[in-house]
Amino acid sequence: MKVTYLNHSGFLLETKTAYFLFDYYNGRIPDLNRDKPIVVFVSHGHGDHYNRDIYKLLQQYPDIQYVLAKDIPTKRLIAEQAVRGVELGSHILSVRKNTTQEILLWNGRPLTITTLKSTDAGVAFLLEYDNHTYYHAGDLNLWYWKGESSQNNGNMTRNFMTEMEKLKGRRIDAAFVPLDPRLEEHMADGFRIFMEYTESRWVFPMHMWGSYNRITEWLKQYPEYKERVVPIQYEGQIFQKDDTNSVN
């Protein structure tokens, strides 16, 4: 298993038989092996998670599949691409919150996609593929903001915990989870709960706005997570792990 950190919440996950690209909006996407299916996931339409340049990949990889949260409008997008002679519609799967569906990749292997409800916009993705499980949170996080009313922050906490209950006890091979420094002392509230609730083997902090030093600072406070949390340092950084040691 190979993970390339692109930027912000954007990651490229490469398995032995497929690529999964999550929430790309900036950074360099490396050249991909055409012998593997490519699935592009977009959790919601915010500008720091969604860049329409992802559709340019179709020109280079004609079998690519896009899985988009339902809040991303597609009719005009498909029509615009049709004017350019690009048939995009058959490559797009729109998904709603709290659903599970299985798709068959062109290599004949099934991919099960489960969505959770975000506490902000769109969905989070839980994927099951080749006896492995992967999770990308999108903007599903405990957004506990200073200045918000206790009622709003209380509702946020309850909504977040509702989604975490769905993941409780799950064994996850690679997870991508917000650790947003703008939340100040509440930066890691949601991240820590995710770590406590799941048996995640390899966890990548994201939504960091470039403040990668905050990862190592947090790990000094919680050294018990040092073996599971990846201390990202820069864009384009590559990480590899032996799939045979999967918890699944």
Side-chain angles (χ1 to χ4, degrees):
M1 178 167 47
K2 178 179 177 180
V3 171
T4 303
Y5 169 63
L6 301 175
N7 180 282
H8 197 55
S9 298
F11 293 86
L12 175 67
L13 168 64
E14 180 181 359
T15 77
K16 290 180 179 179
T17 60
Y19 291 101
F20 303 124
L21 176 64
F22 298 99
D23 279 15
Y24 173 80
Y25 100 101
N26 199 5
R28 179 186 174 274
I29 300 173
D31 293 334
L32 307 178
N33 185 343
R34 295 171 186 270
D35 294 333
K36 295 182 181 183
I38 304 165
V39 187
V40 179
F41 295 88
V42 183
S43 66
H44 61 291
H46 287 173
D48 61 329
H49 290 257
Y50 176 46
N51 185 332
R52 287 173 54 158
D53 282 351
I54 58 175
Y55 304 115
K56 295 179 181 178
L57 293 171
L58 182 59
Q59 301 170 16
Q60 191 173 358
Y61 308 103
D63 295 316
I64 198 168
Q65 174 78 54
Y66 299 94
V67 180
L68 311 180
K70 200 69 176 180
D71 70 322
I72 298 173
T74 58
K75 287 185 178 180
R76 178 177 293 180
L77 174 67
I78 292 170
E80 290 172 352
Q81 294 295 317
V83 171
R84 299 184 177 95
V86 178
E87 198 289 296
L88 181 59
S90 63
H91 295 268
I92 292 178
L93 172 66
S94 293
V95 293
R96 300 180 183 276
K97 62 188 178 184
N98 298 324
T99 62
T100 296
Q101 55 193 299
E102 182 180 284
I103 63 174
L104 195 65
L105 303 188
W106 62 253
N107 61 4
R109 298 174 183 267
L111 168 65
T112 301
I113 304 168
T114 297
T115 58
L116 285 71
K117 180 182 178 182
S118 176
T119 46
D120 189 356
V123 301
F125 294 107
L126 184 70
L127 310 180
E128 295 170 88
Y129 179 75
D130 273 359
N131 297 315
H132 292 72
T133 303
Y134 309 110
Y135 172 76
H136 191 283
D139 266 356
L140 172 54
N141 189 32
L142 207 174
W143 300 108
Y144 196 105
W145 296 103
K146 276 186 176 181
E148 287 286 345
S149 68
S150 58
Q151 180 179 355
N152 285 345
N153 282 329
N155 288 337
M156 171 61 66
T157 301
R158 284 188 290 274
N159 292 338
F160 178 73
M161 294 307 298
T162 295
E163 301 308 304
M164 288 301 98
E165 285 293 332
K166 300 173 186 177
L167 296 177
K168 194 169 186 178
R170 290 297 301 256
R171 296 180 294 178
I172 299 173
D173 290 277
F176 308 94
V177 183
L179 189 69
D180 194 319
R182 298 175 303 168
L183 294 170
E184 301 180 43
E185 67 262 34
H186 296 288
M187 173 186 79
D189 288 1
F191 192 92
R192 178 179 49 79
I193 291 169
F194 175 85
M195 297 297 297
E196 292 174 354
Y197 267 54
T198 68
E199 297 179 30
S200 294
R201 170 188 172 215
W202 214 22
V203 184
F204 292 80
M206 64 181 193
H207 223 274
M208 294 291 302
W209 303 102
S211 298
Y212 308 119
N213 62 305
R214 300 298 297 275
I215 304 173
T216 52
E217 291 173 5
W218 185 79
L219 285 173
K220 288 178 182 178
Q221 300 178 46
Y222 295 89
E224 63 269 30
Y225 295 130
K226 190 174 181 179
E227 297 302 315
R228 299 164 59 195
V229 174
V230 180
I232 296 171
Q233 297 177 320
Y234 56 87
E235 293 178 18
Q237 192 170 5
I238 296 172
F239 307 88
Q240 289 187 274
K241 207 173 193 70
D242 185 356
D243 281 349
T244 60
N245 294 326
S246 169
V247 294
N248 279 17

